[in-house]
Amino acid sequence: MSVPTPFPYRRAAVVRPAARATGWLRRRLGRAVVLSYAAALLLPGPGLWLRRSHGLPMGGALHPSLHTAPALLSLVLFSAGLQVPVTALGRLLRRPSALVAGLVLHLAIPLLVIPCLAAVLQQAPDADGGSGLVTAMMLIVAMPVAAGATVWTGKGTGDQPTMVGLVLASTLSSPLTIPLTLQLLAPLLSLRYAHSLAAAGHAAGSGFALVGVVLPCAAGLVCRLAVPASWLPRVLGVVVPAALLGSLVLTYVNASGALGSFFARPRPLLFCAALGVAVLVCLSSFVLGRVAARCLRLDAPAASSLTLACGMSNSSASAVLISTALPDKPHLLLPVLAYGLLQKTAASRVVRSARRRTPRTAPAPVCTS
């Protein structure tokens, strides 16, 4: 007598190809990002078209418009929230030292690193003392911890609940911390860029951080709690690959804006300065995280998570903020794009170092960027 195929088996058959495709893309994500940059360099037209707002064909008095970059950012953050192992966060109540230290350091690093950067660039021949580059770096380090940091924690031997807690805590507090950080650092800029930073801070405080960062992540968390456990693998099998592809399209769109304006009016000195500034800030952030972990005498997993949280900021969110609040300054995207690549390279080194120090005993949960 034939036995009906049980539903879990059919679900697994559906989910497995999506999981394999996600794993394949995740393993090649670094190369895919480079290809996104190359596509923006060779074929920027579609990316520039996607950067513009597009009206939706709806009847009546409503004329809604779609902004591609914020929509893609929301998809990526929703996916990150959807994959958060909420029950594992209970461990943080028993050992919160790494969480508290990571959050304090992530908020303090802009106030430590940016004044030093501004002092160095004051000696630059630029008429405004490098205020454009300093503005871009402010908008990067003021952002919450990158959701992609959970990916690197999962690849290594980091403390996943601590990292997830840091991403959530910094994201939920971002409507307050982003405008405050920008306001405290604004006096370091020339008057022209101080006004631009004030506009960006106003945009962040008036809705960008809440609507564009907090709400998508919170929606993912709520969706994970609401979806039945038997359906969760299928939902993840759809959302995670879509978010990975969305992050690549978002990289392409942002790179098209930056590289398109750069090659329209080539400025090699600006390119070199943007790369140098991104290296300086990224390296300083990771080093401060490593030093703090040693001073606190954290174990290897917690130290790895703390280091990643200090060095990895949500560069996609800063790029979207620049595109929406400062559309007349696309050159500010150059250091943002450089920082995005550099922090992934530095995170890879942190993960390899953690693997050498601590043997991996069990696979860690994997979250999307």
Side-chain angles (χ1 to χ4, degrees):
M1 183 176 68
S2 62
V3 180
T5 303
F7 176 75
Y9 178 83
R10 294 199 305 269
R11 187 186 71 242
V14 173
V15 171
R16 243 182 242 120
R20 285 197 295 268
T22 302
W24 182 87
L25 180 58
R26 207 184 283 282
R27 289 190 298 272
R28 293 160 177 82
L29 193 57
R31 279 172 280 180
V33 170
V34 174
L35 288 176
S36 298
Y37 279 74
L41 177 62
L42 300 174
L43 191 64
L48 294 174
W49 180 80
L50 288 172
R51 280 172 56 85
R52 299 192 296 269
S53 62
H54 302 280
L56 298 178
M58 295 181 64
L62 295 177
H63 300 283
S65 59
L66 174 66
H67 298 270
T68 306
L72 292 173
L73 177 62
S74 296
L75 173 62
V76 173
L77 292 172
F78 173 82
S79 176
L82 184 64
Q83 295 179 92
V84 169
V86 181
T87 55
L89 297 179
R91 287 176 47 193
L92 297 179
L93 299 177
R94 298 191 297 270
R95 194 179 58 180
S97 57
L99 174 65
V100 174
L103 185 60
V104 171
L105 275 172
H106 189 79
L107 298 176
I109 279 176
L111 306 180
L112 298 174
V113 174
I114 297 300
C116 298
L117 174 66
V120 171
L121 290 179
Q122 283 292 335
Q123 312 303 319
D126 191 1
D128 59 11
S131 287
L133 296 175
V134 176
T135 300
M137 287 296 103
M138 287 180 183
L139 292 172
I140 292 174
V141 295
M143 291 295 148
V145 179
T150 58
V151 176
W152 296 102
T153 305
K155 287 183 177 180
T157 57
D159 187 341
Q160 187 77 345
T162 296
M163 178 56 71
V164 170
L166 285 167
V167 171
L168 288 178
S170 61
T171 299
L172 295 175
S173 61
S174 60
L176 297 176
T177 58
I178 293 175
L180 179 61
T181 302
L182 298 181
Q183 184 178 0
L184 291 174
L185 295 174
L188 299 173
L189 303 174
S190 65
L191 188 60
R192 179 164 62 99
Y193 278 99
H195 287 313
S196 298
L197 189 69
H202 177 73
S206 62
F208 171 79
L210 177 62
V211 177
V213 178
V214 173
L215 287 185
C217 187
L221 285 168
V222 172
C223 184
R224 183 184 181 96
L225 294 174
V227 170
S230 59
W231 282 82
L232 186 60
R234 176 174 292 183
V235 174
L236 291 173
V238 174
V239 174
V240 174
L244 285 173
L245 292 174
S247 68
L248 293 175
V249 176
L250 181 59
T251 299
Y252 166 70
V253 170
N254 291 329
S256 297
L259 299 178
S261 64
F262 175 77
F263 284 100
R265 290 192 309 163
R267 298 165 65 184
L269 184 60
L270 173 63
F271 180 81
C272 294
L275 182 60
V277 165
V279 169
L280 177 62
V281 176
C282 186
L283 182 62
S284 301
S285 300
F286 275 94
V287 168
L288 286 172
R290 177 65 64 86
V291 171
R294 289 183 177 177
C295 291
L296 293 172
R297 297 182 179 179
L298 300 176
D299 57 21
S304 174
S305 295
L306 178 63
T307 304
L308 290 173
C310 290
M312 299 196 73
S313 294
N314 198 323
S315 57
S316 295
S318 58
V320 172
L321 180 59
I322 290 173
S323 299
T324 54
L326 308 172
D328 58 328
K329 293 179 172 56
H331 62 280
L332 296 185
L333 289 171
L334 278 176
V336 174
L337 297 176
Y339 193 96
L341 280 178
L342 289 168
Q343 70 178 1
K344 292 179 178 65
T345 303
S348 178
R349 293 184 63 86
V350 170
V351 167
R352 288 200 300 268
S353 175
R355 281 175 174 169
R356 288 195 297 267
R357 293 196 306 270
T358 305
R360 186 168 183 173
T361 57
V366 178
C367 300
T368 191
S369 59

